[in-house]
Amino acid sequence: MTAALEGFAGNAGLVDRLRTALSAAGYTVDGVVGLLGAPGHAALLRDATVPGLRALAGDRDPLATLTRLWPLQAPVPAVEAERALPGLVAPLAAAGVLAVAGDAVHALVDVRPYGDEDHDWWVVSDLTPGLDGSTKRVGADHVLGVSPASTTLAQLGVRDPVGRALDLGTGCGVQALHLSGHVAEVVATDVNPRALAMARLTLALSAPGAVVDVRSGSLYEPVGGERFDLVLTNPPFVVSPADGERLVYRDSGLPGDEVVRRIVTGAPAVLADGGWCQVLANWAHVEGQPWEQRVEGWLVGSGCDAWVLQREVLDPAGYVQMWLADAGLVGSPEWAARYDAWLEWFERERIEAVGLGWLSLHRTGRAEPVVRVEDWPYAIEQPVGAEVASWGRRVGVLQGLSADDLLGARLVRAAEVVQETYGEPGSADPERIVLRRGRGVLRARPVDTAEAALVGACDGELTVAQVLDALAVLLDLDPAALRSATLPAVRDLVEEGWLIP
Ligand SMILES: C[S@@+](CC[C@H](N)C(=O)[O-])C[C@H]1O[C@@H](n2cnc3c(N)ncnc32)[C@H](O)[C@@H]1O
């Protein structure tokens, strides 16, 4: 099947005709959602097709046919398939995308509309398992479609226009597709031949003019000696024993969080100066070692500034249960034994919990890079990629500023910062002041009167020193003491994006 699919993806004439047919039918995200209606679409997100099929009843237009065939994974009459995909049913069947049985056609491979505000794309992947209560179990080489993790990484990605990017573990090709919009040359790699074939078709269909080199191989092996301005990866990061079940989309075959360690420690060798490597990851919380220390250990000597955000922490049972359910083992005879063996391994390895989060490495070559490791289970405004890039710039500026430079800086308060005060109704002074950022990482920062006033006064006109000296007079404080007490906070305020240098 893989060779036949590769053959289809490499046939520009057939791919052009398929793109034309999908476009002509209006087979886009908006088209499909409009047709299914909100309840039908919401039901499909819950793996139920009945409301969607009811919404389409009697509609024989090409858009309805394609929606039945792919998102709803229902058989369609051959004559309707032929009308929606003129001259393409036979070649798609030969490629293993469709199957023809009598006078009905059904899908073997998914071709799903996907997009952002600027693009209507199609993504090719394996079918969604588990629709309408059917088994969720999939083969070891299953190729996932666009998942919540895929969109999280796409939104985390720094989107500055650059020359070269690497999509490590491309799967269905979704990251490469996003990269093709702002990167001159993309390399997409995977170890799964089915994924490579599907990514090739995704890219040929959706980004025909893009320069994307799809390569086979593990981790950085296919790109040894090359440099990239951006590396994006949503790797097979599940923390499990190396000898456990291996679903290639999530299990690396390496023990614990070793795959993430290898990706992070290998990044500096493939990053160009100023390049970013952004990784969706899981990491072990090992008894007796703070998780921050474990992750920071991977960054020592990297020459990269790094921002690590832990978004969630799961205890071993919660973690194992989530991934056993993902593998479709709920209700299977293996459930209990697999659960037990995995927990046993966690115990042996002294893994007390697993952290789920994001790493963004920025190759600056600084002798003492800035490493920010934080637990942030709270809200983040997506897409957060621009905030990551801005963090990198702010940290770079800060590193070049001595205490005197910082006092002389004319900082500007970020436009979205607001102040909340708490206290007894009617009282003259607040008991507590909290600053809030309404962009990027939606931070809340408790501050004292001086810090709140400083942030309020930073409009780019006055220097930090001028603002602090004026505040010392107003608040009846010693100016030198206020300067030295406040400067560390000013650095924090810049790093966290409250004040822009
Ligand atoms: C979670 S999927 C991510 C797919 C896609 N990039 C996305 O964001 O949705 C992980 C991908 O990594 C691939 N993979 C597994 N082991 C790998 C390895 N050692 N080197 C490169 N890719 C690997 C899998 O085949 C799979 O396509």
Side-chain angles (χ1 to χ4, degrees), residues 353-404:
V354 180
L356 288 61
W358 314 337
L359 297 106
S360 294
L361 279 66
H362 187 206
R363 188 168 187 269
T364 57
R366 248 190 286 287
E368 287 187 31
V370 176
V371 176
R372 180 183 186 93
V373 181
E374 61 183 320
D375 208 12
W376 189 263
Y378 313 110
I380 286 185
E381 186 207 31
Q382 291 283 21
V384 73
E387 172 66 14
V388 175
S390 163
W391 174 83
R393 282 190 290 273
R394 294 193 305 267
V395 160
V397 172
L398 276 178
Q399 292 314 295
L401 295 183
S402 65
D404 282 344

Side-chain angles (χ1 to χ4, degrees), residues 341-354:
W342 202 335
L343 284 183
E344 178 77 27
W345 177 81
F346 269 128
E347 256 175 56
R348 263 203 319 276
E349 297 296 314
R350 297 182 299 118
I351 296 174
E352 297 174 320
V354 180

Side-chain angles (χ1 to χ4, degrees), residues 140-151 153-154 167-176 189-193 195-196 215-222 232-237 246-254 259 263 280 323:
D141 60 356
H142 181 80
V143 179
L144 274 190
V146 177
S147 66
S150 323
T151 46
L153 178 62
D167 169 14
L168 193 162
T170 190
C172 60
V174 54
Q175 306 302 335
T189 64
D190 211 290
V191 288
N192 180 357
L196 293 168
R215 300 184 196 169
S216 173
S218 180
L219 302 182
Y220 296 117
E221 177 262 328
L232 281 188
T233 182
N234 166 16
F237 48 57
R246 187 163 183 212
L247 296 173
V248 70
Y249 70 83
R250 53 171 241 194
D251 305 303
S252 65
L254 296 167
V259 71
I263 287 170
L280 236 56
W323 289 115

Side-chain angles (χ1 to χ4, degrees), residues 37-296:
H41 183 241
L44 188 57
L45 296 178
R46 299 191 302 270
D47 291 342
T49 64
V50 175
L53 288 169
R54 285 176 63 85
L56 265 61
D59 189 340
R60 303 285 164 221
D61 275 359
L63 176 57
T65 301
L66 298 176
T67 304
R68 270 193 207 93
L69 188 60
W70 280 310
L72 296 170
Q73 294 178 199
V76 300
V79 63
E80 287 172 19
E82 193 54 44
R83 195 157 15 141
L85 298 164
L88 286 162
V89 173
L92 284 168
V97 174
L98 300 178
V100 183
D103 60 0
V105 173
H106 66 270
L108 297 175
V109 163
D110 199 4
V111 179
R112 183 72 64 112
Y114 175 68
D116 59 18
E117 50 291 344
D118 302 322
H119 301 95
D120 284 320
W121 289 316
W122 299 276
V123 169
V124 179
S125 71
D126 271 317
L127 296 174
T128 308
L131 287 190
D132 300 315
S134 63
T135 180
K136 275 183 79 84
R137 295 199 78 165
V138 294
D141 60 356
H142 181 80
V143 179
L144 274 190
V146 177
S147 66
S150 323
T151 46
T152 298
L153 178 62
Q155 297 185 96
L156 177 68
V158 169
R159 293 282 166 223
D160 296 340
V162 287
R164 300 194 82 223
L166 170 64
D167 169 14
L168 193 162
T170 190
C172 60
V174 54
Q175 306 302 335
L177 212 45
H178 283 281
L179 289 167
S180 71
H182 64 104
V183 179
E185 184 194 341
V186 180
V187 177
T189 64
D190 211 290
V191 288
N192 180 357
R194 283 166 56 74
L196 293 168
M198 290 179 183
R200 284 199 172 101
L201 184 50
T202 295
L203 293 158
L205 196 55
S206 301
V211 180
V212 186
D213 183 357
V214 179
R215 300 184 196 169
S216 173
S218 180
L219 302 182
Y220 296 117
E221 177 262 328
V223 297
E226 296 178 44
R227 296 277 176 179
F228 297 90
D229 303 297
L230 178 59
V231 175
L232 281 188
T233 182
N234 166 16
F237 48 57
V238 173
V239 175
S240 59
D243 56 358
E245 179 182 40
R246 187 163 183 212
L247 296 173
V248 70
Y249 70 83
R250 53 171 241 194
D251 305 303
S252 65
L254 296 167
D257 50 20
E258 174 63 11
V259 71
V260 178
R261 191 194 68 79
R262 288 194 191 178
I263 287 170
V264 171
T265 56
V270 299
L271 283 180
D273 287 344
W276 286 91
C277 171
Q278 297 183 278
V279 187
L280 236 56
N282 288 185
W283 44 77
H285 287 211
V286 180
E287 187 190 320
Q289 182 186 33
W291 72 270
E292 295 93 335
Q293 211 181 66
R294 179 180 184 79
V295 175
E296 273 178 48

